[in-house]
Amino acid sequence: MTILVTRPSPAGEQLVARLRLAGFHAYHSPLIEFSPGRELASLPTRLAALQAGDLVFALSQHVVEFADPLMSRGGHVWPSSLTYYAVGRTTGLALHTVSGLPVHYPPVRATSETLLQLTELQNIAGRHALLLRGNGGRELLGDTLQERGAIVSYCECYQRTLVHYDGAEQCQRWQTLGVNTLVITSGEMLQALHDLVPDVYQANWLLTCRVIVVSERLAEAARKLGWSDVDVADNADNDALMRALQ
């Protein structure tokens, strides 16, 4: 098994290092890179405007990676009067580490669906909810919180941009390396990889690869694009991906 990890740095590089230590052939070709979001500078002001008991949601660990240095440079602290949520354990622990505050997150799979099942998010009418996220992304969380009566706003803390590759050149390289297993951790990356690979390489290489994804929703998207050998890791962190690959 030769594995291509497409998740961004540094998590992608860390996963490849672990796989190689475990005896696998693994390579890293990130499909997305990150930069500060267009609304990041406004975050301290937005947090300060919230009332005690209002809700703050970190939708990715990249939120923490960009937001906390900004807060620290400006001498700001994460307000202890707010209630913090994260989409999953990794993001929740990252936010807790930098803030020292309790952070709620789903006990199982890191998705918006499982986050929305938390008991404390069922009766939130009239409360403000600030969603910290990247550019674009799913609207399920915000839409559902609004349906439950919350007053929802967003802060774009980081931007995702596609990494440019020459599709034919990269496919030749990946095939020469013997890549037959793909690790893909978002719908955006799944589509980007499919679009990158020229038609001549689709049926005779790309769609014959085993694909490891991080949700049933992503697995269904992979099948619709033509993959048949699709496995779902039990979470989106590197520990879960290691378990799926082993």
Side-chain angles (χ1 to χ4, degrees), residues 35 56 60 62 70 76-77 79 99 101 109 112 125 129 134 137 140 146 152 157-158 165 169 185 189 191 213 226-227:
S35 59
V56 178
S60 163
H62 305 296
L70 174 88
H76 305 287
V77 297
S99 69
L101 299 172
R109 187 178 299 279
S112 296
L140 175 67
Q146 282 187 317
V152 175
C157 293
Y158 67 95
Y165 293 105
E169 181 180 297
T185 54
M189 285 184 266
Q191 189 65 56
V213 295
W227 277 282

Side-chain angles (χ1 to χ4, degrees), residues 144-208:
T144 305
L145 294 175
Q146 282 187 317
E147 290 169 5
R148 295 177 183 177
I151 303 160
V152 175
S153 59
Y154 298 89
C155 183
E156 182 192 289
C157 293
Y158 67 95
Q159 292 189 61
R160 298 181 297 268
T161 54
L162 294 177
V163 177
H164 175 74
Y165 293 105
D166 181 295
E169 181 180 297
Q170 278 299 118
C171 285
Q172 290 175 358
R173 174 176 175 267
W174 291 330
Q175 285 189 294
T176 299
L177 292 171
V179 169
N180 57 13
T181 303
L182 311 170
V183 174
I184 303 176
T185 54
S186 78
E188 188 175 10
M189 285 184 266
L190 180 73
Q191 189 65 56
L193 181 62
H194 189 272
D195 293 346
L196 174 69
V197 174
D199 290 346
V200 67
Y201 296 104
Q202 293 268 348
N204 64 6
W205 173 67
L206 181 68
L207 299 178
T208 68

